[in-house]
Amino acid sequence: MHQSAFLPLKRATMQWSTAFLIAVACLQLSAILCDKCTSEVSSSYYYDYTKVQNERVYWKYIKKERTVAIGCVLDSGENLAFGQTYRTPFFVLQCEKINDTAVLLRPIKCILNGKEFEKGSYVQTFKRNYTCLEREGRIGLVITGCVGDNAVIAKMPKSFTRRTFLFTCLSEGNQVIHKAIGCVIGGQRVGIHQVISIGKFWYKCSRYGNGGVKVIIMGCVTSGGKRIDAGEKYRDGGFLFHCKQKDLGVNIVFAGCIAKEFGVLKEFNFGESWYTKPVGSLSYRVMCAGDEKTVTAEVIECIANLDQGRKVIKVGECAKYGNDRMFSCLKQVEGKVVARLTLIEEHTFSFKTFTTIEGDRCPLPPK
């Protein structure tokens, strides 16, 4: 090995750092997924008992002759004594004597999902609030409100939220309608056909089916607030990204590199390369390497262009340039690639290895 004799005033040096790597944590997947819902219609249930029902009398017979009422007769033909009760799907009925010839099946409780509850009390299901109400000879298992997130009850005609949607609770006769009127995206209310940006993504609240709504992930948002449609590539922070459409959302992934070539800022896909602006007589060819998770700009060639013409060598190589100069393209420990033209004495070429003043070594080309 031989330590070359340097002439400092006649040495050309250029270095390129390959520290262009970005961690996977920089990539993002939309946390708010596509969702949809429909409006719902629910019914209240009522039972009228004002009419005295002579046809329901269970008679006492003496010597085959009808005498006085002793109970009630159900539709099934079953007999109930006075004071006994009978369960329908929604009410508990009690057989009551009006006089010796008339009876009444009076509702005394309401039933929901098999459970009894008293008049005036209410029971809350996952979606509705029912109250057992009695007015003027009529009892009803009446929907008196809608249930939203965190078991919050919305009285009619108030609005409420459930999951990622906004509803209003409306009454129409015996029916209650949960009408979808908007979306809740990122904790904010969004009207139908309106859009909103949340973090790195933007969304739209849209109509769905008959009276329903849905949340659609429309695309990505740059650091400057510009909205990008799903499927498009875009520049942001000096990098090239792809707003990639997934089955249930949108993913931001790397799509390549952005670099200036011949004074113009250009986009380069993975595997494509460009030339750097020369510093003096030296420049580089750089390749965009990586995948959707990482990206790096790697120097693959050094270029010298002086009085002896254009010379191109790969990283890790040295070559003679003219009769008195050595051209080297070496990667240093910290990852920098350094291109040098060094003036040396002719006898240096008789050695098999060229060593720079910093101690970097590379084999000399064959004579």
Side-chain angles (χ1 to χ4, degrees):
M1 294 186 294
H2 178 76
Q3 178 67 47
S4 61
F6 282 88
L7 298 180
L9 296 179
K10 296 184 180 181
R11 181 182 64 190
T13 303
M14 182 182 180
Q15 65 183 24
W16 176 273
S17 174
T18 60
F20 197 66
L21 192 66
I22 296 183
V24 179
C26 293
L27 305 182
Q28 296 194 29
L29 175 66
S30 173
I32 304 173
L33 301 180
C34 294
D35 200 359
K36 55 191 175 184
C37 75
T38 56
S39 295
E40 299 178 13
V41 178
S42 305
S43 297
S44 299
Y45 303 95
Y46 296 92
Y47 182 84
D48 291 307
Y49 61 94
T50 55
K51 180 181 178 182
V52 176
Q53 298 171 312
N54 295 315
E55 69 277 8
R56 287 192 178 276
V57 176
Y58 173 36
W59 298 98
K60 179 180 180 181
Y61 286 85
I62 298 177
K63 294 181 180 181
K64 297 183 180 181
E65 290 187 7
R66 189 171 66 182
T67 58
V68 294
I70 59 173
C72 305
V73 179
L74 303 177
D75 291 336
S76 63
E78 181 182 355
N79 298 322
L80 293 180
F82 292 133
Q84 286 187 318
T85 59
Y86 171 73
R87 287 168 58 98
T88 70
F90 300 105
F91 304 102
V92 177
L93 307 180
Q94 187 177 57
C95 181
E96 183 177 299
K97 181 178 180 180
I98 302 300
N99 53 47
D100 287 343
T101 60
V103 298
L104 184 67
L105 285 173
R106 184 186 298 276
I108 58 174
K109 293 181 181 180
C110 295
I111 300 175
L112 185 64
N113 297 329
K115 295 183 179 180
E116 301 177 4
F117 58 106
E118 303 292 336
K119 298 175 185 178
S121 61
Y122 70 90
V123 63
Q124 183 174 313
T125 66
F126 175 66
K127 294 183 178 181
R128 289 167 285 275
N129 187 71
Y130 290 89
T131 304
C132 188
L133 295 177
E134 184 178 27
R135 293 193 186 99
E136 300 176 353
R138 188 188 197 203
I139 193 171
L141 185 59
V142 184
I143 300 175
T144 53
C146 303
V147 180
D149 291 336
N150 301 318
V152 174
I153 299 175
K155 300 293 184 180
M156 291 173 279
K158 300 293 185 179
S159 62
F160 64 98
T161 60
R162 185 182 298 150
R163 293 197 347 256
T164 56
F165 301 103
L166 182 64
F167 296 86
T168 186
C169 194
L170 299 175
S171 176
E172 293 185 3
N174 291 343
Q175 294 183 328
V176 172
I177 301 175
H178 304 186
K179 184 178 180 181
I181 59 173
C183 307
V184 179
I185 307 174
Q188 301 184 50
R189 294 189 174 191
V190 182
I192 294 173
H193 304 310
Q194 293 183 347
V195 298
I196 187 173
S197 297
I198 303 291
K200 291 290 185 180
F201 303 92
W202 67 289
Y203 307 83
K204 183 178 181 179
C205 182
S206 181
R207 278 289 180 199
Y208 167 73
N210 184 18
V213 294
K214 60 181 177 180
V215 177
I216 305 174
I217 303 175
M218 300 298 293
C220 308
V221 179
T222 68
S223 56
K226 181 181 178 181
R227 290 170 178 160
I228 307 297
D229 291 334
E232 291 187 357
K233 294 181 180 180
Y234 63 99
R235 302 177 184 183
D236 195 14
F239 301 101
L240 184 63
F241 295 96
H242 181 201
C243 186
K244 190 174 183 179
Q245 182 74 56
K246 306 290 284 186
D247 291 339
L248 295 176
V250 171
N251 198 7
I252 299 176
V253 299
F254 291 116
C257 305
I258 297 176
K260 186 173 287 189
E261 185 180 45
F262 307 120
V264 179
L265 199 61
K266 299 180 180 180
E267 298 176 0
F268 298 91
N269 296 320
F270 295 124
E272 295 180 340
S273 62
W274 66 93
Y275 293 95
T276 65
K277 181 180 179 180
V279 176
S281 59
L282 302 177
S283 61
Y284 299 94
R285 186 161 77 94
V286 184
M287 184 180 70
C288 183
D291 51 32
E292 291 185 346
K293 296 181 179 180
T294 59
V295 61
T296 181
E298 295 182 357
V299 176
I300 56 175
E301 291 177 344
C302 298
I303 303 162
N305 193 0
L306 204 57
D307 57 318
Q308 298 299 315
R310 192 171 186 268
K311 184 76 172 180
V312 179
I313 59 175
K314 296 180 180 179
V315 177
E317 293 182 346
C318 298
K320 184 178 179 182
Y321 188 81
N323 295 322
D324 58 351
R325 280 161 291 181
M326 180 65 70
F327 180 30
S328 61
C329 183
L330 301 176
K331 179 182 286 189
Q332 299 184 338
V333 176
E334 63 272 21
K336 295 178 181 179
V337 174
V338 179
R340 281 198 179 96
L341 270 176
T342 307
L343 183 64
I344 60 175
E345 297 176 359
E346 179 65 28
H347 69 82
T348 302
F349 295 107
S350 62
F351 294 89
K352 294 182 179 180
T353 302
F354 172 72
T355 305
T356 67
I357 197 169
E358 290 87 356
D360 298 323
R361 295 185 301 170
C362 63
L364 294 177
K367 294 182 179 180

